Amino acid sequence: MDTSPYLQSRQRLVPAPPRAVFELLADPAMHPVIDGSGTVRAARQGSPDRLRLGAEFGMDMRLGVPYRISNTVVEFEDGRTIAWRHFSGHRWRYELEPVDGGTLVRETWDASRLKHKWALRVLGFTRTTPGNMERTLERLAAQFDGGATPS
């Protein structure tokens, strides 16, 4: 589902209860495992083991060159919703809904509040982010279906 180039959502059924999915999402060390963009490398030293509202955590990243990014958890409903904001202001949100067969996970990338949105379009993020989210959700589901993590 595309709502605008700067507000993108994708969803997928994950064959696990919401609590298990939420615990994985709330663990920054697992973010590189499920990242479908190939840019998230590792949680930075000093990041919490489990995220909570207001928690700050850093990630080692690579997009051509290595860099670091800082995040703050800005939405948190235990077992249901978690979102973090990058320094630039855009958010990554995961909403979990229990359904037959597991959990419907909706991932949303919200860059609608950025002042310089045009830069995301020029750099290709508005074009590549939807596919990256689909791969992230595929990798998340693979953590619970017994299959190998897709590459």
Side-chain angles (χ1 to χ4, degrees), residues 12-18 21 96 99-105 137-138 140-145:
R12 181 182 178 117
L13 175 66
V14 174
V21 176
L96 311 180
V99 295
D100 287 342
T103 304
L104 183 63
V105 179
L137 292 171
E138 181 180 339
L140 176 63
Q143 294 300 306
F144 298 101
D145 70 8

Side-chain angles (χ1 to χ4, degrees), residues 38-141:
T39 60
V40 181
R41 298 300 184 198
R44 303 272 312 142
Q45 186 173 7
S47 293
D49 292 334
R50 186 177 192 273
L51 299 176
R52 58 175 166 52
L53 186 61
E56 295 181 3
F57 66 104
M59 302 301 287
D60 286 332
M61 309 287 290
R62 184 175 184 88
L63 184 60
V65 296
Y67 65 99
R68 298 174 180 168
I69 198 157
S70 297
N71 307 285
T72 303
V73 177
V74 293
E75 296 177 42
F76 189 93
E77 183 182 343
D78 204 356
R80 182 93 174 147
T81 304
I82 188 168
W84 51 85
R85 177 183 44 79
H86 292 296
F87 69 92
S88 64
H90 60 282
R91 293 177 184 220
W92 292 99
R93 177 184 300 108
Y94 292 87
E95 298 167 279
L96 311 180
E97 179 183 336
V99 295
D100 287 342
T103 304
L104 183 63
V105 179
R106 178 177 299 109
E107 179 181 6
T108 301
W109 174 70
D110 184 353
S112 64
R113 296 179 179 109
L114 271 65
K115 291 180 183 176
H116 304 292
K117 292 188 287 263
W118 60 268
L120 295 174
R121 186 181 293 266
V122 168
L123 294 170
F125 289 109
T126 56
R127 181 179 39 79
T128 59
T129 296
N132 291 342
M133 289 191 310
E134 289 171 10
R135 282 186 294 280
T136 295
L137 292 171
E138 181 180 339
R139 293 171 68 96
L140 176 63

